[in-house]
């Protein structure tokens, strides 16, 4: 699709002078870079030093930036992009018009920003009590939520809010009576329990409690957010907010394209699923996991059952062979966080890519600073001035953090590569590209040949096939297990934007079952709002990019490996020190968003295709898939039996188990007797 042509009709098209438009774009570029610098700096100061003062400064800058966004959108809408002779300027103008919510009135625009900020705050302040501390003790006051909407807002009518938009909302902080010791947060405490505990009741407890502390408090705000997002989208010329989000992919048949991709990876996922389910049956028993049905979502090592790598201990193909982890070798060699970052820089410069500038080393936060509160999630920062680039990461000397270091450094490399583009093009070719490129580079770092080359693994005479299968299993638990989750989040979100907010939770679980084959461990109702347990849902961040990025990363990786002259299994390819791979990587990154994804993929594959394709991912995991097929040969059902649908959503899982029939019959008999 050409860049959303439909947007021409929202433009007022009053000014048809292309010289004026070009002048506007030049001014925009200068002002937007300046604004971006100020906001980014205020955000950096806050997340690396969480104080009330820094929070207020950040909010002030964000407010200024929103004003600028709104004003620029209005100015841009005065031009008709289709009349601009220069395609690059047309593309820039469309980028201003396309994604914005600026078509909303000033009041609603501000309300939207406030809603999203409040939802983030509620989410980030969610805390639960430790397991076994009598969470349901009547002495511990239970927080009650005024979550239900008036009946008039149910049913199939679009949700209507009264003219006092906040009257149904809960205050942001209502933990006043919550006991002090109930201070476990998602990251790190709750996530650690889900990853490492193998006690089902404990897993169930944290799974349920986190949802109690998020969903119900967020539901009303989310409904209002849906209404406002749709209003912004329709005023911008889109059918609904889902269509507006999808427009960034510049593909008129985007929904069909992603569905086709999903269908191509589903058979591999089902093999993995079936094998993992059997191991979970062995661990937790048939009363907890049906041997032919869906898997209860709390047993997969992660709050959203999206990444299963934490249950590797339960599913390792060859427990006698190692699961490659260079952590102990790194510790033995006295690695430091600084050395890890130097190593990551060397990875990119060895391919002829750019070193990071001195400002990076001066200003990054590479370890958790003592005596101040910071947000530790790893991230890479572009300060929009072509000078200042930083990483924030509370690095520890572990293999996982070494991978993360290479991942974040790839983002910095992307920033450096497209730094000469105008501000509007300093971005990935589509929203999936940044993550895809960063992960493609790290696929090379994970593998054995690379770890051997950098002296972090010595071959200790283990069977190479067994070592390979263990490695591919750990990768599959991270990448393959993730695909249906990454796919379903926006399927759900788009359906809410399209069909309305009724039965949002039931829809969520229907999709979780259909695509992931997971069910809730306990009955859920519309009083719950389980999508609200995922940050990206309530913080207005589209998610399909992660699905596409996971597929695209293997496609990019395979092209880099071909450029590097790799022959043999894809999972054994290392692009370290390959100038040819570096050149290709630079060709992918350097245009930023100035070209379409389809143009970049065409040139990356030397004209073979212009589409994202899962073939490389499937090829990468082919040796594991063959092994899984053998393991699953006696299984009655590859995948899951969806007849358990009703059970999953509306009744406790075990209620209809065959084993309960004698009890039910006995009960009926006794009742009849009475
Ligand atoms: O949100 C993230 C990163 C920032 S891009 C922390 N990820 C997705 C998630 O957590 O759901 C990385 C993996 C997918
Ligand atoms: Zn990333």
């Amino acid at each position: 699709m050409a860049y959303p042509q439909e947007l021409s009709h929202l433009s007022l098209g009053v000014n048809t002078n292309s010289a004026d438009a070009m002048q506007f774009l030049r001014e925009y570029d200068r002002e937007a870079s300046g604004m971006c610098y100020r906001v980014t700096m205020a955000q950096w100061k806050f997340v690396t030093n969480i104080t009330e003062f820094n929070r207020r400064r950040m909010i002030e800058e964000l407010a200024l930036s929103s004003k600028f966004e709104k004003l620029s959108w209005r100015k841009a809408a005065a031009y008709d992009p289709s009349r601009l002779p220069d395609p690059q300027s047309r593309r820039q103008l469309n980028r201003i018009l396309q994604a914005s919510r600026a078509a909303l009135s000033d009041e609603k625009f501000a309300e939207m920003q406030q809603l999203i900020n409040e939802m983030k705050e509620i989410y980030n302040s969610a805390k639960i009590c430790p397991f076994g501390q009598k969470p349901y003790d009547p002495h511990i006051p239970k927080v009650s939520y005024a979550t239900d909407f008036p009946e008039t807002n149910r049913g199939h009518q679009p949700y209507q809010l009264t003219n006092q938009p906040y009257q149904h909302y809960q205050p942001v902080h209502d933990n006043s009576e919550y006991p002090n010791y109930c201070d476990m947060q998602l990251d790190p405490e709750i996530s650690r329990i889900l990853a490492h505990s193998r006690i089902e009741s404990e897993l169930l407890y944290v799974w349920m409690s986190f949802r109690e502390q998020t969903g119900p408090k967020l539901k009303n705000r989310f409904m209002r957010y849906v209404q406002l997002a749709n209003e912004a989208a329709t005023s911008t010329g889109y059918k609904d907010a889902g269509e507006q989000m999808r427009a960034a992919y510049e593909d008129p048949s985007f929904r069909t394209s992603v569905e086709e991709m999903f269908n191509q990876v589903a058979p591999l996922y089902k093999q993995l699923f079936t094998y993992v389910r059997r191991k979970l049956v062995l661990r937790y028993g048939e009363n907890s996991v049906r041997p032919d049905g869906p898997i209860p979502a709390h047993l997969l090592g992660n709050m959203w059952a999206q990444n299963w790598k934490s249950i590797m201990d339960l599913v390792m193909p060859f427990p006698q062979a190692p699961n490659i982890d260079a952590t102990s070798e790194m510790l033995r060699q006295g690695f430091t966080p600084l050395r890890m970052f130097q190593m990551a820089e060397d990875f990119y410069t060895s391919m002829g890519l750019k070193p990071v500038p001195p400002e990076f080393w001066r200003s990054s936060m590479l370890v958790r600073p003592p005596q101040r509160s910071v947000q530790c999630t790893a991230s890479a920062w572009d300060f929009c001035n072509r000078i200042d680039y930083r990483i924030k990461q509370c690095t520890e000397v572990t293999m996982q953090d070494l991978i993360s270091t290479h991942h974040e450094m790839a983002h910095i490399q992307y920033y450096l590569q497209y730094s000469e583009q105008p501000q509007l093009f300093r971005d990935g070719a589509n929203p999936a590209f940044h993550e895809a490129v960063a992960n493609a580079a790290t696929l090379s770092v994970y593998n054995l040949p690379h770890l051997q080359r950098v002296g972090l693994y010595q071959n200790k005479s283990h069977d190479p096939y067994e070592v390979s299968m263990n490695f591919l299993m750990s990768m599959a638990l991270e990448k393959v297990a993730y695909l249906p989750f990454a796919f379903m989040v926006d399927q759900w979100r788009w359906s809410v934007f399209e069909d309305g907010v009724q039965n949002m939770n039931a829809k969520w679980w229907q999709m979780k079952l259909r695509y992931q084959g997971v069910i809730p461990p306990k009955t859920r109702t519309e009083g719950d709002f389980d999508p609200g347990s995922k940050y990206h849902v309530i913080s207005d961040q589209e998610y399909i990019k992660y699905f596409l990025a996971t597929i695209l990363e293997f496609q990019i990786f395979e092209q880099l490996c071909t450029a590097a002259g790799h022959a043999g299994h894809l999972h054994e390819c290392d692009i370290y020190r390959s100038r040819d791979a570096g050149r290709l990587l630079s060709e992918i990154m350097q245009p930023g968003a100035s070209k379409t994804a389809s143009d970049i993929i065409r040139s990356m594959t030397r004209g073979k295709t212009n589409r994202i394709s899962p073939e490389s991912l499937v090829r990468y995991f082919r040796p594991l898939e063959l092994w899984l097929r053998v393991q699953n040969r006696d299984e009655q059902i590859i995948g899951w039996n969806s007849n358990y649908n009703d059970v999953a959503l509306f009744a406790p899982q075990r209620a209809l188990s065959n084993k309960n029939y004698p009890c039910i019959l006995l009960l009926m008999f006794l009742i009849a007797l009475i």
Side-chain angles (χ1 to χ4, degrees):
M1 167 163 94
Y3 222 79
Q5 286 143 339
E6 320 87 74
L7 291 184
S8 312
H9 61 240
L10 89 95
S11 129
L12 305 173
V14 179
N15 191 336
T16 54
N17 184 335
S18 64
D20 284 359
M22 306 286 271
Q23 176 61 21
F24 160 69
L25 285 174
R26 271 190 297 275
E27 277 167 22
Y28 177 89
D29 190 61
R30 196 172 35 79
E31 287 172 26
S33 312
M35 188 57 75
C36 174
Y37 175 79
R38 291 179 53 161
V39 171
T40 310
M41 188 58 86
Q43 287 175 319
W44 172 269
K45 284 187 175 156
F46 174 68
V47 296
T48 59
N49 186 10
I50 301 173
T51 63
E52 193 44 38
F53 176 78
N54 284 345
R55 197 177 72 87
R56 242 178 286 127
R57 288 293 302 272
M58 177 181 72
I59 287 172
E60 280 163 21
E61 289 297 343
L62 283 168
L64 286 177
S65 158
S66 295
K67 271 197 190 130
F68 172 75
E69 181 190 338
K70 222 163 181 302
L71 197 66
S72 304
W73 187 88
R74 270 201 210 123
K75 286 185 193 164
Y79 301 100
D80 182 348
S82 66
R83 287 181 180 250
L84 288 186
D86 170 31
Q88 290 287 290
S89 308
R90 212 180 307 147
R91 193 169 169 78
Q92 285 191 56
L93 204 51
N94 273 319
R95 279 179 76 83
I96 301 177
L97 292 169
Q98 177 208 349
S100 177
R101 302 248 163 76
L104 287 173
S105 69
D106 288 352
E107 295 72 38
K108 287 184 175 170
F109 188 75
E111 187 190 350
M112 181 75 155
Q113 309 264 320
Q114 191 181 337
L115 266 179
I116 296 168
N117 284 339
E118 284 179 5
M119 286 196 280
K120 287 184 187 175
E121 256 191 72
I122 292 170
Y123 188 97
N124 287 330
S125 57
K127 289 181 180 152
I128 70 170
C129 313
F131 179 56
Q133 301 264 346
K134 296 195 185 154
Y136 300 114
D137 188 324
H139 300 299
I140 298 176
K142 203 165 171 344
V143 186
S144 62
Y145 313 114
T147 51
D148 273 354
F149 265 68
E151 280 306 310
T152 48
N153 290 327
R154 292 179 178 278
H156 295 277
Q157 293 306 312
Y159 166 65
Q160 288 290 320
L161 206 86
T162 67
N163 50 9
Q164 289 159 297
Y166 288 97
Q167 73 173 5
H168 299 302
Y169 300 167
Q170 283 277 306
V172 173
H173 299 287
D174 61 355
N175 286 339
S176 48
E177 292 185 274
Y178 218 52
N180 286 340
Y181 61 83
C182 293
D183 59 355
M184 295 206 320
Q185 292 194 295
L186 176 65
D187 193 12
E189 295 90 354
I190 301 176
S191 302
R192 277 193 192 144
I193 292 173
L194 283 162
H196 301 299
S197 169
R198 301 289 175 255
I199 303 165
E200 197 190 341
S201 52
E202 186 177 18
L203 295 170
L204 176 64
Y205 165 75
V206 292
W207 191 96
M208 294 282 287
S209 305
F210 184 67
R211 279 164 178 74
E212 273 166 26
Q213 292 305 321
T214 48
K217 296 180 183 181
L218 293 161
K219 187 177 170 187
N220 286 1
R221 284 178 177 83
F222 186 81
M223 295 209 267
R224 176 66 177 154
Y225 154 86
V226 169
Q227 194 181 40
L228 290 173
N230 272 342
E231 188 176 324
T234 50
S235 319
T236 315
Y238 296 101
K239 192 165 65 69
D240 59 42
E243 190 181 72
Q244 183 171 21
M245 284 181 169
R246 293 189 295 273
Y249 293 94
E250 304 179 79
D251 174 1
S253 41
F254 183 68
R255 286 182 101 158
T256 320
S257 307
V258 285
E259 218 171 295
E260 277 169 11
M261 287 179 219
F262 179 74
N263 290 337
Q264 280 173 269
V265 296
L268 171 61
Y269 174 72
K270 285 184 179 167
Q271 290 294 335
L272 178 70
F273 174 97
T274 305
Y275 168 78
V276 166
R277 179 182 54 200
R278 190 154 51 79
K279 296 289 177 183
L280 291 175
V281 170
L282 285 176
R283 178 66 186 79
Y284 294 105
E286 287 192 16
N287 272 347
S288 297
V289 185
R290 293 167 185 277
D292 61 349
I295 299 177
H298 61 313
L299 305 179
L300 287 159
N302 173 275
M303 181 56 84
W304 313 275
Q306 71 176 65
N307 183 330
W308 303 352
K309 70 177 181 212
S310 300
I311 58 160
M312 179 65 176
D313 56 321
L314 301 180
V315 303
M316 197 145 149
F318 295 99
Q320 67 279 17
N323 176 25
I324 304 310
D325 185 349
T327 305
S328 53
E329 188 56 29
M330 289 166 69
L331 289 168
R332 200 187 64 75
Q333 294 184 22
F335 264 59
T336 59
L338 180 62
R339 180 155 162 213
M340 288 157 71
F341 276 91
Q342 287 165 339
M343 203 170 157
E345 185 187 37
D346 169 63
F347 180 79
Y348 296 104
T349 52
S350 84
M351 289 189 271
L353 296 169
K354 299 187 178 189
V356 295
E359 286 74 14
F360 174 88
W361 299 110
R362 242 199 320 271
S363 314
S364 287
M365 187 194 100
L366 305 184
V367 288
R368 183 197 280 274
Q371 283 146 6
R372 63 176 208 258
S373 172
V374 298
Q375 278 177 17
C376 267
T377 322
S379 49
W381 296 60
D382 178 351
F383 285 74
C384 319
N385 61 357
R386 300 191 166 110
I387 298 167
D388 206 340
Y389 303 94
R390 304 180 192 179
I391 284 176
K392 166 178 75 70
Q393 181 174 285
C394 299
T395 316
E396 289 179 5
V397 180
T398 63
M399 163 106 174
Q400 194 51 47
D401 278 7
L402 184 68
I403 302 289
S404 174
T405 302
H406 284 76
H407 175 103
E408 298 306 332
M409 279 296 232
H411 285 311
I412 299 281
Q413 189 60 228
Y414 213 150
Y415 300 149
L416 293 169
Q417 290 288 331
Y418 60 51
S419 64
E420 291 313 313
Q421 297 289 348
Q423 178 66 28
L424 280 159
F425 292 153
R426 279 181 241 158
D427 203 350
N430 74 24
F433 261 73
H434 244 289
E435 281 303 293
V437 165
N439 282 341
T442 54
L443 280 179
S444 181
V445 183
Y446 272 108
N447 72 30
L448 272 187
H450 182 75
L451 293 178
Q452 276 166 346
R453 273 169 101 179
V454 297
L456 284 176
Y457 180 77
Q458 276 91 43
N459 191 354
K460 299 193 189 95
S461 71
H462 292 289
D463 179 341
Y465 176 75
E466 296 184 353
V467 176
S468 259
M469 284 308 119
N470 281 352
F471 168 70
L472 280 175
M473 176 60 77
S474 71
M475 293 302 283
L477 295 175
E478 186 175 335
K479 309 282 181 183
V480 179
Y482 179 56
L483 290 166
F485 174 78
F487 178 73
M488 64 75 54
V489 172
D490 277 357
Q491 297 295 321
W492 173 84
R493 188 179 347 220
W494 299 337
S495 88
V496 170
F497 284 138
E498 200 168 15
D499 305 327
V501 295
Q502 61 281 359
N503 303 325
M504 286 193 293
N505 212 40
K507 264 189 205 162
W508 174 259
W509 284 107
Q510 277 154 12
M511 289 187 181
K512 297 278 284 182
L513 174 62
R514 178 167 167 199
Y515 298 116
Q516 281 188 280
V518 303
I519 47 172
K522 281 260 185 274
T523 313
R524 310 306 283 162
T525 69
E526 287 306 310
D528 302 307
F529 178 52
D530 295 318
S533 71
K534 185 68 195 164
Y535 185 72
H536 300 67
V537 170
I538 55 91
S539 63
D540 188 37
Q541 296 183 47
E542 62 127 12
Y543 208 77
I544 197 70
K545 70 174 176 189
Y546 293 110
F547 172 73
L548 292 167
T550 308
I551 290 173
L552 181 59
E553 76 181 73
F554 286 91
Q555 195 175 4
I556 295 175
F557 183 56
E558 186 163 37
Q559 294 304 320
L560 297 175
C561 292
T562 307
H566 173 78
H569 288 305
L570 190 50
H571 70 271
E572 286 165 353
C573 155
D574 180 17
I575 57 174
Y576 185 46
R577 296 192 185 134
S578 165
R579 297 267 157 170
D580 290 324
R583 241 186 312 278
L584 183 58
L585 206 43
S586 170
E587 276 172 38
I588 296 168
M589 298 197 264
Q590 191 270 331
S594 68
K595 289 189 184 167
T596 62
S598 128
D599 282 345
I600 302 226
I601 295 171
R602 194 185 299 106
S603 72
M604 168 181 95
T605 58
R606 307 289 176 239
K608 284 202 197 93
T609 179
N610 64 349
R611 304 182 72 79
I612 299 180
S613 156
E615 279 169 34
S616 304
L617 180 145
V618 171
R619 217 177 344 267
Y620 183 98
F621 287 107
R622 187 78 186 140
L624 180 74
E625 190 178 3
L626 293 175
W627 182 85
L628 286 169
R629 281 181 192 279
V630 175
Q631 305 309 306
N632 293 336
R633 65 188 170 256
D634 295 330
E635 292 291 329
Q636 302 302 318
I637 296 209
I638 302 293
W640 52 95
N641 187 341
S642 295
N643 292 340
Y644 299 133
N645 199 343
D646 304 348
V647 183
L649 295 174
F650 303 115
Q653 207 213 127
R654 265 159 257 166
L656 289 187
S657 135
N658 290 343
K659 288 184 184 154
N660 288 339
Y661 281 157
C663 305
I664 294 168
L665 286 176
L666 186 67
L667 203 66
M668 284 164 69
F669 177 68
L670 286 175
I671 292 169
L673 267 185
I674 295 165

